[in-house]
Amino acid sequence: MRRGPCCWLETTMTDSKYFTTTKKGEIFELKAELNSDKKEKKKEAVKKVIASMTVGKDVSALFPDVVNCMQTDNLELKKLVYLYLMNYAKSQPDMAIMAVNTFVKDCEDPNPLIRALAVRTMGCIRVDKITEYLCEPLRKCLKDEDPYVRKTAAVCVAKLHDINAQLVEDQGFLDTLKDLISDSNPMVVANAVAALSEIAESHPSSNLLDLNPQSINKLLTALNECTEWGQIFILDCLANYMPKDDREAQSICERVTPRLSHANSAVVLSAVKVLMKFMEMLSKDLDYYGTLLKKLAPPLVTLLSAEPELQYVALRNINLIVQKRPEILKHEMKVFFVKYNDPIYVKLEKLDIMIRLASQANIAQVLAELKEYATEVDVDFVRKAVRAIGRCAIKVEQSAERCVSTLLDLIQTKVNYVVQEAIVVIKDIFRKYPNKYESVIATLCENLDSLDEPEARAAMIWIVGEYAERIDNADELLESFLEGFHDESTQVQLQLLTAIVKLFLKKPTETQELVQQVLSLATQDSDNPDLRDRGYIYWRLLSTDPVAAKEVVLAEKPLISEETDLIEPTLLDELICYIGTLASVYHKPPSAFVEGSRGVTHKSLLPRTGSNESVESPDTAPSGGPAADQPSVIPTQGDLLGDLLNLDLGPPVSGPPMATAPVQMGAVDLLGGGLDILLRSDVGGSPAMGGTGGSFTPAPNTAAPTNVGAPLGTGLGDLFDLTGGVGTLSGSYVAPKTVWLPAMKAKGLEISGTFSRQVGSISMDLVLTNKALQVMSDFAIQFNRNSFGLAPAAPLQVHAPLAPNQSVEISLPLNTVGSVMKMDPLNNLQVAVKNNIDVFYFSTLYPLHILFVEDGKMERQMFLATWKDIPNENETQFQIKDCSLNADAVSSKLQGSNIFTVAKRNVEGQDMLYQSLKLTNGIWVLAELRIQPSNPNLTLSLKCRAPEVSQYIYQAYETILKN
């Protein structure tokens, strides 16, 4: 029964007495009361203990006495004791074991509330010693007849997994959780999904939520009946599902659409996220696609009638949605008009969305509104409104004239900050539409004296310098700025220097003194390196080659783009997958702000059906795959982002790497040397290193031992009675360059490349092409940890800035002393490239033959003994199809890439080549290649102590022989 407010007041008034005690022997008295025979007195005593605990007093000395009070039927008292237990179990683990029996008993209590309370508390006691005792009661509760107990137990599994993951897996609780997804009660389903999602987040490679059409159907059924938070868990889970085709995507969308009318805004945003994601798979020609667009608008509009804080979250999400699919809200411009009582953060966000939705159809309406805003009292808002008018002019060409006249009207108001903002945006309009609106320059010049902000002064100086030939007194105007040159900000000084040089090149006779004065101020009297450098460049240009100076300084400028503040497309796709979370409010991926980024997985939108993009394109670096002993061995793109951003993108340290626990190759076991490195993420098996950025130094080559322990057999020994036909050196195969990073994904920077190995040196041969409108400079490169420790051996040398439409070829030397981490696939390399614009990420696959070392030829007896020593299950067989080379040509071609023929023999008309190769980390691979004269298919058998490399060695064989 619910109590009314008066009753609640009485309770709080009476409860306050527990907090007001000043007795000296307090603990002693409480101990006596806790052991009292009277139930009421016991309850009062426990309340006092909880009160003391709440205000921070240490009452852990009463642990055994409080735990004794657990043996009671009174639910309220039990709750209080459990509360105490949760708080002190960590500091008193030995005492906490005393409570285990009561938990076990309570988990079998006839009252489901007590069973659920026991299982909930069990999950909150984070004590390793106790967890194994709690497995049995938890197993019973997971199969309890009461759904309330089952749903509580499901959450307990996730908490237990956080304390001891191995225990949960060994006890089979994860399988039980998966079974609960098919439970008849929707709340149990929702909690099971929530628990599995939480576990999957901390172990991204575990593939726990193995969703299929049947389980998706169960989730969609439960969606209609569970609570709002249950619905959010299920919707978030659905968003991670990959439908097999557009029909399945449409069917899911149809069943999720009713959630759009839910009263809870979090449910609405989660539903929008699912729909935005699955719409990627729907063809735009479908009638349903149009219907879905129409259905998405009303719920988003409704979110804007909530309180301001919720409005802001909705607006930040709408900002992303509008950038991805402006057509959803193109007819809803009016709801983004600012209300007088909106807080400033809501006003600014609405303004941003208005500009994104501005089009030829609604521009008149938008401009009228913006002009109104420009006369408001809030200075920040007015400035943003004036900027917005300029952005509209640049975005919608037909409105440019109207925008310019609106800006001129605003300049006439003579309100200082309005005038300054107007001048800044008019400069951009001149850049977008040259030779169109220069008639307004006279009006701008009238306001020269009122400008006091650096950005506005710099914009005005740029206008005077750019159009000096149209302004009669341009030299006087610029000279007026020179008087206080050293008091100006750097931005204004640089702009003034350039403007006066432009003026001199246009009117050389009248402005010689002026240009000498500014060059002297910039070079001799200034201590700003940027200003000095620019001054010296201009001085030398003007003194050595005035014609060249004219071509450089007065060159035609590229037009500015209409939307400079759009989020980069790949980041936008990722943020769409995070609608309704903090990432969508920050407009940053979780890896950028989640501490430690535990379990932050990179997400991207589904490829549209019929597109050429594969589901796992190299840019979305594969995540998942088998994990090794260490958690998250194969990094996802999200981790990569964190890893690479934390590294200094400066030049690598030159000189030999620090030797930390060098990898010692076994004296007998030649093939086992680099095995540990490949199979574990800690480098060289040294526990001290833990795989964090240390480097390993391979041991020097030791002479091959003569005895491998196994006696030489006669049968296989006879194979080597012939001389090994070793071909001549022909150079390692280099694959043609391919595009690794397309320009559209890197703000205009295109990177293509390939890998090569020559005379023991590995290099990455790159072509950088600038397809943007601005100059690129300050290049640097960094690799993420990878399977073979590949790392740049020198900085990325781009000697001159890369101008638009220019390409540069670079050969970057690599070494193999970087940090090692097993990747999936094994030859995956994740790269970050930085320039003056941003940091860009891509991943590529390197051919394994660049890692074949020059001393990979094994001595014959050694080959034989080692072949026998490696277990047969490590042997893998492959077919190399359509290769019509004879044995000598094959041998010669392979030796060029450091695959050495140890021996060759002819058996019943077919040639057998016995070959060895060694990888940079010391792993040996032995091969038998069978060539039949009449058959174009070769049979390759590989033996190696690290069988996972065999597939990649086979690919290297095929690549070398077929090219």
Side-chain angles (χ1 to χ4, degrees):
M1 193 176 90
R2 288 190 60 185
R3 297 187 285 187
C6 301
C7 187
W8 176 81
L9 200 64
E10 279 169 36
T11 314
T12 42
M13 295 300 283
T14 53
D15 281 355
S16 63
K17 68 174 188 261
Y18 299 117
F19 291 87
T20 55
T21 170
T22 50
K23 292 174 188 167
K24 283 188 179 159
E26 192 179 358
I27 296 283
F28 183 75
E29 288 187 9
L30 283 172
K31 200 178 184 80
E33 286 177 27
L34 287 168
N35 292 314
S36 161
D37 297 334
K38 293 178 182 167
K39 282 187 180 178
E40 212 43 54
K41 211 167 188 184
K42 257 189 187 178
K43 194 153 91 176
E44 294 293 301
V46 174
K47 283 186 178 178
K48 284 180 193 169
V49 171
I50 298 292
S52 300
M53 183 177 90
T54 310
V55 295
K57 287 182 189 167
D58 182 15
V59 283
S60 57
L62 297 167
F63 199 95
D65 306 286
V66 177
V67 170
N68 281 339
C69 299
M70 276 173 85
Q71 311 288 349
T72 175
D73 301 331
N74 186 313
L75 191 58
E76 188 184 2
L77 181 56
K78 207 176 259 299
K79 277 185 181 175
L80 291 168
V81 176
Y82 276 171
L83 195 62
Y84 176 88
L85 198 62
M86 280 188 247
N87 199 40
Y88 282 115
K90 197 141 196 169
S91 58
Q92 307 261 348
D94 298 330
M95 291 280 199
I97 291 181
M98 292 163 49
V100 168
N101 284 338
T102 314
F103 278 133
V104 175
K105 212 164 122 196
D106 281 357
C107 284
E108 292 175 358
D109 195 276
N111 183 345
L113 288 176
I114 289 181
R115 297 203 297 275
L117 180 65
V119 83
R120 181 180 290 122
T121 312
M122 275 160 43
C124 296
I125 296 180
R126 304 181 63 81
V127 177
D128 238 349
K129 282 184 181 177
I130 297 184
T131 40
E132 54 197 76
Y133 295 114
L134 306 180
C135 291
E136 228 24 71
L138 179 57
R139 185 175 285 108
K140 284 180 184 163
C141 289
L142 281 167
K143 303 221 163 92
D144 198 280
E145 60 196 23
D146 192 285
Y148 181 72
V149 180
R150 291 201 301 277
K151 86 177 179 72
T152 312
V155 176
C156 184
V157 173
K159 290 181 177 175
L160 203 58
H161 189 275
D162 200 32
I163 303 164
N164 189 339
Q166 196 55 49
L167 180 73
V168 170
E169 284 160 30
D170 296 345
Q171 292 284 340
F173 288 147
L174 295 181
D175 296 327
T176 316
L177 264 189
K178 288 180 189 172
D179 295 343
L180 287 181
I181 289 183
S182 313
D183 198 276
S184 55
N185 185 289
M187 264 326 292
V188 177
V189 175
N191 277 20
V193 167
L196 283 169
S197 303
E198 175 123 342
I199 295 169
E201 263 184 25
S202 57
H203 294 71
S205 54
S206 56
N207 197 21
L208 282 176
L209 277 161
D210 187 15
L211 298 172
N212 53 43
Q214 289 73 36
S215 56
I216 287 292
N217 192 31
K218 287 169 188 163
L219 292 183
L220 287 165
T221 309
L223 189 62
N224 300 324
E225 298 169 44
C226 55
T227 64
E228 48 201 23
W229 295 111
Q231 290 182 32
I232 292 166
F233 286 130
I234 290 175
L235 287 166
D236 287 350
C237 178
L238 286 173
N240 295 326
Y241 176 60
M242 168 80 74
K244 60 178 188 294
D245 55 28
D246 52 349
R247 283 179 59 188
E248 191 185 359
Q250 180 174 336
S251 136
I252 294 172
C253 288
E254 283 168 354
R255 294 179 68 178
V256 167
T257 311
R259 299 298 108 214
L260 293 173
S261 52
H262 200 283
N264 184 321
S265 50
V267 176
V268 173
L269 284 175
S270 291
V272 169
K273 170 169 64 185
V274 174
L275 297 172
M276 285 292 288
K277 207 167 170 191
F278 288 1
M279 275 170 86
E280 287 293 306
M281 289 190 75
L282 302 179
S283 160
K284 291 191 174 181
D285 309 331
L286 279 175
D287 292 344
Y288 180 68
Y289 183 86
T291 315
L292 198 52
L293 286 180
K294 285 183 192 140
K295 282 184 179 172
L296 274 168
L300 291 173
V301 170
T302 307
L303 291 177
L304 298 182
S305 54
E307 51 268 36
E309 293 79 7
L310 274 178
Q311 269 188 61
Y312 178 71
V313 172
L315 287 164
R316 291 294 281 174
N317 280 280
I318 288 169
N319 200 326
L320 295 174
I321 293 164
V322 163
Q323 287 183 57
K324 184 71 188 168
R325 299 199 184 283
E327 62 271 29
I328 292 176
L329 288 161
K330 65 179 178 191
H331 300 306
E332 303 291 345
M333 176 64 88
K334 279 190 175 165
V335 298
F336 299 106
F337 285 175
V338 171
K339 299 191 180 85
Y340 75 95
N341 59 348
D342 279 340
I344 183 69
Y345 55 87
V346 170
K347 285 181 175 176
L348 296 178
E349 207 54 44
K350 281 185 172 178
L351 209 49
D352 206 29
I353 295 169
M354 277 169 67
I355 300 158
R356 296 203 193 287
L357 290 175
S359 64
Q360 211 177 328
N362 58 24
I363 195 73
Q365 210 180 5
V366 172
L367 276 179
E369 195 72 14
L370 291 175
K371 192 172 179 182
E372 194 71 36
Y373 300 160
T375 57
E376 292 254 348
V377 288
D378 190 324
V379 177
D380 281 341
F381 181 52
V382 171
R383 283 175 181 279
K384 188 104 180 199
V386 177
R387 293 245 165 157
I389 295 171
R391 278 175 64 189
C392 287
I394 290 164
K395 188 176 180 194
V396 186
E397 191 170 342
Q398 295 77 0
S399 73
E401 201 156 325
R402 214 180 201 150
C403 293
V404 171
S405 66
T406 306
L407 289 167
L408 286 177
D409 292 348
L410 292 171
I411 288 173
Q412 299 308 338
T413 62
K414 301 289 182 197
V415 177
N416 192 325
Y417 55 86
V418 175
V419 172
Q420 308 211 52
E421 286 295 336
I423 286 174
V424 172
V425 295
I426 286 175
K427 180 201 82 170
D428 288 341
I429 293 172
F430 285 169
R431 291 252 343 242
K432 177 75 175 174
Y433 310 110
N435 306 319
K436 221 168 175 186
Y437 302 109
E438 282 75 10
S439 53
V440 306
I441 292 175
T443 315
L444 302 182
C445 291
E446 289 166 16
N447 294 281
L448 206 62
D449 300 334
S450 65
L451 306 180
D452 54 15
E453 288 170 18
E455 201 178 356
R457 287 171 80 82
M460 192 65 226
I461 292 167
W462 182 86
I463 291 169
V464 174
E466 190 66 19
Y467 301 103
E469 69 279 12
R470 305 183 188 203
I471 304 170
D472 299 333
N473 61 338
D475 50 344
E476 289 169 26
L477 296 175
L478 292 175
E479 200 169 0
S480 67
F481 283 102
L482 265 190
E483 289 158 15
F485 185 79
H486 289 303
D487 302 328
E488 299 284 5
S489 72
T490 309
Q491 186 183 7
V492 176
Q493 290 176 332
L494 288 165
Q495 205 56 265
L496 192 53
L497 173 60
T498 305
I500 291 176
V501 172
K502 282 181 185 170
L503 176 65
F504 171 70
L505 290 168
K506 290 174 181 177
K507 301 180 179 177
T509 47
E510 305 150 45
T511 53
Q512 202 155 353
E513 274 181 38
L514 189 62
V515 82
Q516 281 182 335
Q517 189 186 349
V518 78
L519 288 172
S520 158
L521 283 168
T523 55
Q524 288 158 25
D525 305 346
S526 168
D527 54 4
N528 182 319
D530 290 342
L531 186 63
R532 269 210 316 272
D533 287 355
R534 192 181 287 194
Y536 280 126
I537 288 169
Y538 284 153
W539 203 320
R540 284 176 190 144
L541 262 176
L542 292 169
S543 56
T544 52
D545 192 347
V547 179
K550 206 162 191 170
E551 282 175 11
V552 170
V553 181
L554 302 179
E556 201 171 311
K557 285 153 204 66
L559 300 181
I560 59 173
S561 68
E562 58 179 49
E563 286 285 8
T564 47
D565 61 340
L566 282 176
I567 293 174
E568 196 262 326
T570 44
L571 175 58
L572 180 63
D573 284 354
E574 185 174 355
L575 291 176
I576 291 289
C577 302
Y578 286 111
I579 283 177
T581 68
L582 206 51
S584 65
V585 179
Y586 283 159
H587 287 189
K588 288 178 181 175
S591 51
F593 61 85
V594 176
E595 188 97 356
S597 302
R598 186 194 81 152
V600 170
T601 46
H602 167 78
K603 297 183 181 181
S604 60
L605 288 180
L606 312 174
R608 188 173 293 289
T609 36
S611 78
N612 302 328
E613 234 181 303
S614 73
V615 174
E616 275 192 24
S617 69
D619 302 304
T620 58
S623 63
D629 307 343
Q630 311 260 332
S632 180
V633 171
I634 299 151
T636 60
Q637 194 84 347
D639 302 332
L640 166 67
L641 215 67
D643 276 355
L644 293 178
L645 287 176
N646 291 336
L647 291 171
D648 178 19
L649 278 166
V653 182
S654 56
M658 214 170 70
T660 37
V663 176
Q664 290 300 334
M665 313 233 173
V668 175
D669 182 4
L670 245 182
L671 284 156
L675 194 61
D676 288 351
I677 303 161
L678 185 69
L679 298 186
R680 286 211 310 272
S681 65
D682 72 302
V683 180
S686 153
M689 292 187 55
T692 56
S695 57
F696 69 91
T697 314
N701 270 328
T702 47
T706 48
N707 178 21
V708 185
L712 300 186
T714 49
L716 243 156
D718 296 343
L719 289 177
F720 296 100
D721 56 357
L722 295 168
T723 56
V726 175
T728 53
L729 197 67
S730 59
S732 176
Y733 167 68
V734 180
K737 291 188 178 78
T738 53
V739 175
W740 287 340
L741 181 66
M744 62 176 283
K745 293 197 171 176
K747 299 183 182 174
L749 173 65
E750 182 179 281
I751 300 179
S752 34
T754 185
F755 294 91
S756 61
R757 183 185 184 96
Q758 283 164 340
V759 205
S761 304
I762 307 171
S763 57
M764 184 190 230
D765 304 322
L766 300 165
V767 177
L768 308 181
T769 307
N770 181 357
K771 295 192 173 178
L773 295 174
Q774 57 182 316
V775 173
M776 293 180 180
S777 60
D778 308 330
F779 286 91
I781 193 164
Q782 187 77 50
F783 293 178
N784 199 9
R785 293 182 285 175
N786 54 77
S787 306
F788 293 92
L790 277 177
L796 185 61
Q797 301 279 6
V798 182
H799 294 295
L802 199 56
N805 296 318
Q806 190 184 347
S807 292
V808 63
E809 292 198 20
I810 298 151
S811 186
L812 178 72
L814 307 181
N815 59 33
T816 53
V817 294
S819 298
V820 176
M821 174 195 267
K822 187 179 175 189
M823 302 295 283
D824 183 27
L826 212 55
N827 57 341
N828 190 15
L829 180 66
Q830 297 173 329
V831 184
V833 172
K834 182 191 85 127
N835 63 13
N836 57 326
I837 299 170
D838 207 343
V839 182
F840 307 106
Y841 304 94
F842 64 88
S843 64
T844 181
L845 302 177
Y846 50 90
L848 221 61
H849 66 260
I850 63 167
L851 304 172
F852 299 171
V853 295
E854 282 65 21
D855 60 346
K857 184 168 183 182
M858 194 181 271
E859 189 260 328
R860 290 182 182 198
Q861 300 297 329
M862 192 69 216
F863 182 100
L864 177 61
T866 314
W867 182 280
K868 293 177 74 175
D869 197 44
I870 298 173
N872 287 337
E873 55 266 25
N874 282 21
E875 184 174 348
T876 335
Q877 222 173 52
F878 302 96
Q879 286 285 321
I880 300 173
K881 295 186 175 170
D882 306 322
C883 178
S884 48
L885 299 172
N886 64 22
D888 288 341
V890 165
S891 186
S892 166
K893 209 163 192 185
L894 293 171
Q895 183 165 337
S897 293
N898 296 336
I899 299 174
F900 299 96
T901 302
V902 177
K904 170 189 164 190
R905 93 176 261 171
N906 190 287
V907 181
E908 295 172 5
Q910 55 185 4
D911 287 318
M912 313 281 278
L913 296 181
Y914 298 93
Q915 298 177 317
S916 70
L917 63 95
K918 186 166 100 177
L919 295 167
T920 48
N921 61 356
I923 291 180
W924 285 85
V925 182
L926 308 189
E928 177 194 81
L929 192 60
R930 194 176 304 156
I931 304 163
Q932 290 172 300
S934 56
N935 187 350
N937 299 342
L938 315 184
T939 304
L940 174 68
S941 300
L942 295 174
K943 256 194 171 188
C944 173
R945 292 213 196 274
E948 48 269 84
V949 302
S950 299
Q951 174 67 33
Y952 303 95
I953 302 290
Y954 154 65
Q955 286 168 8
Y957 262 88
E958 197 166 47
T959 305
I960 297 162
L961 291 174
K962 289 190 175 178
N963 292 290

